[in-house]
Amino acid sequence: MAVSPDIRPSPPNRPGLEPVPVRIEVVGLEALDVLARLNMAVFREQRIINSFDRLDLMILLAYVDEAAVGFKVGYRESRFTFYSAKGGVLPAYRRRGIARQLLYEMMDRARARGYTHFAFDTFPNMHPGMTILGLNEGFRVMKADYNPTYRDYRLRFEKKL
């Protein structure tokens, strides 16, 4: 099966649906309504991130045809580290490589901006797919702690770019 160059296939021997052609766009705060709708559908919460007033803020939207189906929001954490603060894909579009494509797009853009490390936090009991994706893509677990707000454990993943 030939896969178009803009699709990163799932790793071999992983169950999932067929990859779909995805268009990823960098957007600004003018797209907050789309981002809020996706965030509510994926996470069932209104808060996206604590503040959009961040250095090197990056918002990515993933589209299948003309429908926004996923997002990723990140920003500068330090001079060397770009932090992916939140991201998700609508349930009907999961297991098609979209989260992986968003991850790689953000990492590529962070590298182009001069960052040498990429990091994200996830709650493995709430979002096991992101934990699996991080491990499959060579991220290292750098920290584990308990988050009282979410009443769950949080893992910190990091990778050199």
Side-chain angles (χ1 to χ4, degrees), residues 28-96:
L29 295 177
E30 76 282 352
L32 275 182
D33 58 330
V34 176
L35 191 60
R37 181 180 55 78
L38 287 168
N39 185 65
M40 184 57 78
V42 172
F43 295 103
R44 291 178 171 64
E45 65 181 12
Q46 291 184 344
R47 185 189 70 81
I48 300 169
I49 61 174
N50 290 334
S51 172
F52 286 96
D53 186 21
R54 303 283 187 163
L55 290 175
D56 269 350
L57 178 68
M58 185 187 312
I59 302 170
L60 302 177
L61 290 179
Y63 294 88
V64 172
D65 297 320
E66 295 305 312
V69 301
F71 72 97
K72 200 154 194 61
V73 179
Y75 48 81
R76 175 188 174 129
E77 183 177 70
S78 73
R79 192 172 90 184
F80 304 106
T81 304
F82 194 86
Y83 179 70
S84 173
K86 197 167 197 182
V89 175
L90 294 175
Y93 290 90
R94 291 183 185 155
R95 304 206 51 80
R96 295 175 180 257

Side-chain angles (χ1 to χ4, degrees), residues 101-112:
Q101 290 180 68
L102 283 162
L103 175 67
Y104 272 91
E105 183 71 24
M106 186 167 275
M107 288 192 312
D108 290 346
R109 289 177 177 276
R111 185 181 304 107

